[in-house]
Amino acid sequence: MKLDKILYCLLFSVALTLTGCEDDDETVYGDWVKRSDFEGVARSDAASFSTDGKGYVFGGYDGKNRLNDLWEYNIDQDFWTQKATFPGSARTNASSFSLNNKGYICNGYNGDIYFNDFWEYDPSLNEWHKKADFGGSARLGAVGFSVSGYGYVGAGYDGNYLKDMWKYDPSADTWTQIVSLGGSKRNNAAAFVYGDKAYIVGGINNGAYVTDFWRFDPSSTSWTELRQIADKSDEDYDDDYNIARSNPNILLIGNRIFLTCGESGSIRSDTWEYLPDTDLWDLTSDFEGTARTSAVTIHNSNRAFVLTGRSSTYRFDDMWEFLPDIEYDEN
């Protein structure tokens, strides 16, 4: 009798455990929603900037030709408008940033020549204005960002992998070289701004995908190395890290930061959230469009989109919005 009771209790306990496992599926948040297709020709290696609640896509490569068109996306009303054609040379792999409600395009490549020209786009006038040439060497694949009233462009490739950094003063229309990015040289990295500091992540150098990650403080013109984006430590926080890649896309959604797409031997679709307060990364929902690299992002204060780009075979004109607080729906 006692043995029967013990066996019954064990079977009942197992049944409860199995039932609990079936009912305790974790809800996954982070959903990708397809939005209005980009109205220009499908392309990769374009540049983008966002200002005054609108996103802009410039140039790139359609598989046959370098491009010099500019398109504006009205985020609130979900439509595209072609804007004034860029008066400089058509190009790919330009760097870009926005500052004082204007967009800026710098550097790039036309298949034969690296550029160091620098242009300002004024959306209020729909006009381009040539500004002082970039202070560094002509190059492609540099990073661009703006913080604390100044623009910054650096790293990239001019026949040599680079890590120099240059500061643009819009009031004086001048460039000044500042202290170089720490760590590895890199091409096709990404930059983002959080609070009053800028961050540079990813890229490639001599065939290796760069794993060091840096924060820039404009008040002291100094760089701080953060935790690496690969499994490099003896601690367990990075055991699953597989973040290093070239051409990553950064999405800024409110005060949250996400990295997606790009390439590291293969084309990527995995998406990671960066937590600046702890300097840690969390894996979230994969990009739901076709995996791609050499795409661009646009955003306003609380919405962000990935669009264009290429796979190993195709170039794209679709656009996807990431909704980090919506339950994941694979459909």
Side-chain angles (χ1 to χ4, degrees):
M1 179 67 72
K2 184 180 290 187
L3 180 59
D4 290 342
K5 287 183 177 179
I6 291 172
L7 289 172
Y8 175 80
C9 289
L10 287 171
L11 290 170
F12 184 71
S13 175
V14 169
L16 284 176
T17 301
L18 291 173
T19 302
C21 288
E22 290 175 359
D23 294 340
D24 195 29
D25 291 340
E26 183 179 356
T27 300
V28 177
Y29 287 93
D31 196 32
W32 292 89
V33 178
K34 193 173 185 298
R35 300 303 189 194
S36 178
D37 286 346
F38 172 63
E39 287 197 31
V41 65
R43 67 193 64 197
S44 63
D45 304 289
S48 64
F49 56 87
S50 301
T51 186
D52 197 26
K54 295 181 174 64
Y56 296 83
V57 175
F58 160 75
Y61 183 61
D62 67 4
K64 294 181 179 179
N65 301 300
R66 265 80 183 178
L67 305 167
N68 64 350
D69 51 347
L70 177 72
W71 293 81
E72 176 190 85
Y73 179 60
N74 186 310
I75 293 173
D76 291 335
Q77 299 182 46
D78 189 29
F79 72 90
W80 288 93
T81 305
Q82 187 167 8
K83 309 303 287 187
T85 299
F86 177 66
S89 298
R91 67 194 64 193
T92 62
N93 303 99
S95 47
S96 57
F97 60 86
S98 59
L99 181 63
N100 300 331
N101 294 322
K102 296 180 175 65
Y104 293 88
I105 296 294
C106 190
N107 301 323
Y109 182 62
N110 72 353
D112 294 308
I113 299 169
Y114 300 118
F115 296 108
N116 72 339
D117 53 343
F118 180 55
W119 295 80
E120 175 189 86
Y121 175 71
D122 186 340
S124 66
L125 301 174
N126 190 28
E127 291 180 354
W128 289 95
H129 303 112
K130 194 173 188 305
K131 311 300 285 186
D133 284 348
F134 173 63
S137 60
R139 66 190 66 190
L140 59 76
V143 293
F145 60 88
S146 64
V147 62
S148 300
Y150 296 94
Y152 295 85
V153 174
Y157 183 79
D158 68 355
N160 172 38
Y161 290 91
L162 303 164
K163 56 185 283 189
D164 56 335
M165 189 62 55
W166 294 79
K167 175 181 177 180
Y168 177 68
D169 181 344
S171 61
D173 188 27
T174 56
W175 291 92
T176 304
Q177 188 170 10
I178 62 170
V179 61
S180 295
L181 168 69
S184 298
K185 301 175 181 180
R186 66 194 70 205
N187 182 39
N188 291 332
F192 63 91
V193 173
Y194 177 80
D196 60 355
K197 295 179 176 60
Y199 297 72
I200 292 181
V201 62
I204 191 169
N205 179 26
N206 295 308
Y209 297 98
V210 177
T211 63
D212 54 331
F213 176 36
W214 293 83
R215 182 178 65 213
F216 174 66
D217 184 345
S219 65
S220 58
T221 319
S222 62
W223 295 91
T224 300
E225 186 172 9
L226 303 172
R227 301 179 199 256
Q228 297 216 16
I229 57 170
D231 183 8
K232 295 288 187 178
S233 80
D234 294 330
E235 300 179 56
D236 59 5
Y237 72 86
D238 58 358
D239 288 352
D240 297 323
Y241 277 14
N242 182 20
I243 306 167
R245 65 195 70 188
S246 67
N247 293 303
N249 290 104
I250 299 293
L251 297 100
L252 303 176
I253 304 173
N255 63 351
R256 300 176 69 180
I257 303 149
F258 300 89
L259 179 151
T260 193
C261 297
E263 61 186 295
S264 60
S266 60
I267 307 297
R268 305 287 292 268
S269 61
D270 53 318
T271 303
W272 297 78
E273 180 173 11
Y274 178 59
L275 308 172
D277 292 341
T278 58
D279 189 23
L280 296 173
W281 295 82
D282 283 342
L283 186 63
T284 183
S285 302
D286 285 0
F287 176 71
E288 291 184 57
T290 305
R292 66 194 60 195
T293 185
S294 303
V296 297
T297 55
I298 55 177
H299 63 89
N300 63 12
S301 60
N302 55 17
R303 300 176 66 189
F305 307 80
V306 173
L307 63 154
T308 68
R310 62 173 176 82
S311 66
S312 57
T313 308
Y314 299 104
R315 285 176 171 80
F316 302 110
D317 58 11
D318 55 343
M319 180 169 70
W320 296 79
E321 180 177 5
F322 186 52
L323 305 173
D325 296 318
I326 301 300
E327 186 174 345
Y328 172 73
D329 179 359
E330 65 180 4
N331 298 315

